[in-house]
């Protein structure tokens, strides 16, 4: 299918809207604008009718694959269904039309909601105080690690190393490095958890902290977490919890009770805000009492009988985000919390774990599972059996698109060869999981019967297999009207 870009539909003189003749006198542009800002040639925009535009973009939207169109088992991303009631609540005029520069007296309801959300997230994570400012998980990590750094500095300690397990999400070592720490990798043991003896050998007087995901990216709960916490604390370091995917633990166990000192949560994963495609996110950070002075500002306080924004803490790490974070997402997360309630959140974690184990069980006979353990919210398959027969994890992922599914995460975590990382989430039905398992089994059969179909998949999409390395290294994203529009320019 050949899909033209909107510029190719341009017809000279065609217009989408017609405006009446202006009755405002035109000023002399050279008198009111700097010379640099005055165009010498007209803007080169597509000349199309309103109908052309509507049809063009409506058609393109039908080519999108999203949660509202199908199953999206992208491991570590918690692509679960986002209840539409969250959208309705976030679109209430009182939330939608507020401006961050309004006097606080006129946004008391929003501030109270934010305060209550902070309290709810603190309770869920077992922390003493939460900031809602960070705009993503990775941003929460940076905020948390900078607080740890400031805390240690205030105690007159120079600690230069952050420990990160080899199964960690890539943002963990990146965050530690960005905050100025040296990163040291902690190996995994044969059960997929932290190698505790290796950890013992790695901690010391230079250890600022350990960043840990639990359940980890293999979907496995860290059985030795209490011992791990003791080892790091005894060495004088702090524990950072990567809580991006908290749907396995909601209401069951709290990072604060496991010994963690700082936590981030991804509202756009666990708390059901639509995400992906670069939209806004939110990565609130919770801390234990000792770190409260270092939280970013402003913070929401109840003072003189009203909610206020305070920026008077002498030890704060400062601002990490303009105003008070991505408030629209915070409203959605609050709606999600309140509409579920405590019982509902327990049902979320029960179902997330049940779904992952059910699906894993369906696939065990055909795909290698590196660890013979029950999982939490996700699991990792290894396509080594398929690789020996000439087909790789990438081929399987691409072929799933033909079967109508978004592919799992591939080649991550790095500790598993030919990894396919599947996160079904709690919002999928048994029928959907069965259909997915069926597609995975059929693909395994195709490995023997029609391997070429796999090597060249997908076949049912507008664009086939892309050269992803070329797309990343030499992207061609610009429209060059003078060069004319060529097939080549567009397809790359
Ligand atoms: C998604 C994720 C992150 C990063 O979150 P962003 O919002 O994408 O920055 C960090 N850790 C884990 C385990 C994740 O799954």
């Amino acid at each position: 299918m050949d899909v033209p870009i909107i510029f190719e539909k341009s017809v000279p003189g065609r217009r989408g809207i017609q405006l009446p003749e202006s009755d405002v006198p035109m000023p002399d542009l050279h008198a009111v604008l700097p010379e640099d800002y005055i165009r010498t040639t007209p803007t080169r925009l597509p000349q199309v009718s309103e109908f052309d535009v509507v049809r063009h973009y409506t058609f393109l939207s039908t080519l999108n694959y999203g949660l509202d169109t199908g199953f999206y088992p992208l491991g570590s991303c918690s692509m679960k269904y986002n209840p539409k009631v969250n959208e309705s609540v976030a679109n209430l005029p009182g939330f939608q039309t507020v401006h961050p520069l309004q006097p606080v007296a006129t946004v008391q309801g929003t501030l109270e909601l934010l305060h209550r959300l902070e309290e709810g997230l603190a309770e869920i994570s077992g922390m003493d105080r939460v900031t809602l400012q960070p705009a993503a998980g990775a941003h929460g990590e940076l905020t948390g690690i900078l607080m740890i750094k400031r805390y240690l500095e205030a105690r007159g300690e120079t600690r230069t190393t952050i420990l990160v397990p080899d199964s960690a999400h890539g943002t963990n070592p990146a965050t530690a490095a960005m905050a100025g720490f040296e990163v040291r990798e902690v190996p995994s043991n044969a059960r997929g958890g932290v190698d505790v003896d290796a950890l013992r050998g790695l901690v010391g007087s230079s250890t600022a902290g350990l960043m840990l995901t639990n359940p980890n990216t293999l979907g496995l709960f860290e059985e030795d977490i209490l011992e791990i916490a003791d080892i790091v604390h005894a060495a004088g370091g702090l524990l950072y919890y990567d809580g991006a995917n908290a749907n396995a633990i909601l209401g069951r166990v709290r990072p604060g009770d496991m010994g963690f000192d700082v936590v981030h949560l991804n509202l756009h994963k666990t708390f059901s805000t639509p995400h992906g495609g670069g939209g806004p996110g939110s990565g609130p950070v919770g801390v234990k009492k000792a770190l409260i002075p270092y939280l970013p500002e402003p913070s929401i306080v109840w003072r003189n009988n009203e909610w206020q924004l305070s920026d008077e803490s002498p030890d704060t790490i400062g601002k990490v985000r303009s105003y008070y974070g991505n408030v629209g997402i915070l409203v959605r997360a609050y709606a999600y919390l309140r509409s579920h309630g405590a019982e509902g959140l327990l049902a979320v974690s029960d179902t997330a774990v049940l779904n992952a184990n059910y699906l894993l069980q369906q696939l065990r006979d055909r795909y290698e599972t590196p660890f013979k353990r029950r999982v939490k919210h996700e699991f990792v398959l290894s396509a080594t059996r398929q690789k020996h027969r000439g087909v790789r994890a990438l081929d399987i992922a691409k072929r799933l698109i033909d079967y109508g599914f978004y592919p799992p995460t591939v080649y991550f975590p790095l500790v598993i060869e030919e990894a396919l990382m599947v996160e079904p989430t709690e919002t999928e039905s048994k029928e959907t999981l069965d259909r997915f398992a069926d597609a995975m089994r059929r693909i395994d059969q195709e490995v023997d019967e029609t391997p070429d179909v796999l090597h060249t998949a997908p076949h049912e999409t507008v664009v086939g297999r892309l050269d992803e390395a070329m797309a990343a290294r030499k992207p061609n994203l610009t429209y060059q009207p003078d060069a004319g529009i060529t097939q080549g320019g567009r397809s790359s």
Side-chain angles (χ1 to χ4, degrees):
M1 204 186 319
D2 194 23
V3 188
I5 61 174
I6 189 91
F7 287 91
E8 291 169 288
K9 295 186 170 170
S10 183
V11 175
R14 187 167 286 173
R15 289 284 175 274
I17 47 167
Q18 278 160 3
L19 296 174
E21 207 52 40
S22 171
D23 58 3
V24 180
M26 180 73 173
D28 175 13
L29 286 185
H30 297 275
V32 294
L33 286 177
E35 273 320 299
D36 290 358
Y37 292 161
I38 300 175
R39 286 186 181 284
T40 51
T41 53
T43 30
R44 285 172 292 216
L45 293 173
Q47 303 190 44
V48 284
S49 71
E50 181 178 321
F51 186 38
D52 290 336
V53 174
V54 169
R55 190 169 272 180
H56 180 74
Y57 286 106
T58 303
F59 173 70
L60 288 183
S61 76
T62 67
L63 302 180
N64 259 348
Y65 189 96
L67 272 165
D68 289 352
T69 50
F71 186 39
Y72 210 125
L74 190 65
S76 204
C77 294
S78 299
M79 304 303 284
K80 64 193 198 183
Y81 180 72
N82 310 297
K84 298 295 178 250
V85 67
N86 298 351
E87 298 302 313
S88 310
V89 171
N91 281 313
L92 289 174
F95 293 123
Q96 197 198 39
T97 62
V98 291
H99 190 280
L101 293 178
Q102 270 177 239
V104 288
T106 66
V107 288
Q108 289 292 298
T110 300
L111 293 178
E112 182 174 347
L113 177 144
L114 297 181
H115 170 77
R116 288 189 190 192
L117 178 62
E118 283 179 2
E119 283 192 333
L121 297 177
E123 187 178 335
I124 285 170
S125 59
M127 292 286 141
D128 294 315
R129 189 81 207 257
V130 165
T131 173
L132 301 174
Q133 283 187 40
H139 194 194
E141 290 174 32
L142 185 63
T143 303
I145 294 296
L146 287 176
M147 280 191 270
I148 289 177
K149 191 175 189 180
R150 188 61 64 84
Y151 165 85
L152 292 169
E153 278 167 7
R155 292 160 57 102
E157 302 198 37
T158 357
R159 290 173 173 262
T160 50
T161 308
I162 292 278
L163 302 169
V164 181
D166 55 11
S167 62
H169 195 269
T171 50
N172 292 185
T175 292
M178 200 165 174
F181 287 102
E182 193 188 315
V183 181
R184 295 196 66 185
E185 193 172 276
V186 187
S188 299
N189 62 22
R191 286 179 58 74
V194 166
D195 182 333
V196 174
D197 289 333
L199 176 69
R200 247 190 223 104
L202 284 167
V203 296
S205 58
S206 73
T207 306
L210 168 73
M211 296 180 86
L212 202 66
T213 313
N214 192 21
N216 66 20
T217 61
L218 298 159
L220 301 171
F221 194 81
E222 192 59 69
E223 298 161 319
D224 301 319
I225 181 56
L226 296 178
E227 194 182 350
I228 290 168
D230 284 347
I231 292 170
V232 174
H233 283 150
L238 297 184
L239 263 87
Y240 184 94
Y241 184 85
D242 179 339
N245 319 99
N247 51 345
I249 62 155
L250 288 177
R252 289 282 157 208
V253 61
R254 310 190 308 167
D257 300 334
M258 296 183 219
F260 286 91
D261 305 288
V262 187
V263 172
H264 88 261
L265 298 166
N266 276 26
L267 300 187
H268 50 289
K269 289 179 180 168
T270 308
F271 298 91
S272 93
T273 278
H275 67 119
S282 180
V285 174
V287 295
K288 287 279 180 68
K289 213 168 251 122
L291 288 131
I292 292 178
Y294 311 103
L295 282 166
E297 306 242 270
S299 59
I300 296 168
V301 294
W302 176 255
R303 200 163 45 195
N304 302 333
N305 262 340
E306 66 169 7
W307 295 108
Q308 297 188 349
L309 292 172
S310 158
D311 56 2
E312 292 139 25
S313 165
D315 297 319
T316 174
I317 60 163
K319 279 184 88 64
V320 297
R321 176 68 166 74
S322 53
Y323 305 117
Y324 207 77
N326 283 328
V327 172
I329 296 202
L330 304 175
V331 175
R332 285 170 176 84
Y334 187 68
Y336 182 78
L337 279 189
R338 294 310 298 253
S339 55
H340 278 71
E343 291 298 314
L345 294 178
L346 268 178
V348 163
S349 50
D350 280 359
T351 316
V353 171
L354 180 63
N355 276 1
N357 283 284
Y358 176 77
L359 189 54
L360 172 59
Q361 202 55 37
Q362 302 275 321
L363 298 172
R364 273 212 153 114
D365 57 333
R366 301 288 188 115
Y367 291 86
E368 194 59 42
T369 50
F371 306 100
K372 312 298 169 209
R373 288 177 62 181
R374 285 241 178 92
V375 294
K376 293 291 175 264
H377 61 299
E378 67 190 354
F379 58 88
V380 179
L381 303 172
S382 170
T384 44
R385 289 191 217 163
Q386 288 73 18
K387 191 182 177 188
H388 290 139
R389 287 137 67 206
V391 164
R392 303 196 56 192
L394 182 73
D395 303 318
I396 296 167
K398 296 294 184 191
R399 184 63 176 148
L400 276 167
I401 299 172
D402 288 335
Y403 282 96
F405 297 107
Y406 198 92
T409 298
V410 290
Y411 300 105
F412 176 79
L414 306 174
V415 288
I416 304 299
E417 193 189 350
E418 295 296 316
L420 288 157
M421 185 196 209
V422 182
E423 184 182 4
T425 83
E426 65 278 13
T427 55
E428 298 298 335
S429 65
K430 178 172 177 297
E431 292 76 22
T432 301
L433 302 182
D434 287 340
R435 277 196 302 115
F436 180 77
D438 190 47
M440 287 290 283
R441 280 193 290 265
R442 279 208 259 169
I443 289 171
D444 178 58
Q445 209 161 317
E446 288 176 341
V447 173
D448 300 320
E449 293 168 1
T450 50
D452 284 349
V453 171
L454 295 175
H455 294 140
T456 50
H459 305 278
E460 308 290 333
T461 46
V462 174
V463 178
R465 180 86 61 110
L466 293 169
D467 183 340
E468 287 166 7
M470 172 83 100
R473 299 268 154 75
K474 294 184 178 171
N476 177 359
L477 305 172
T478 48
Y479 165 61
Q480 295 167 305
D482 298 331
I485 300 163
T486 61
Q487 284 294 115
R490 168 150 47 95
S491 59
S492 57

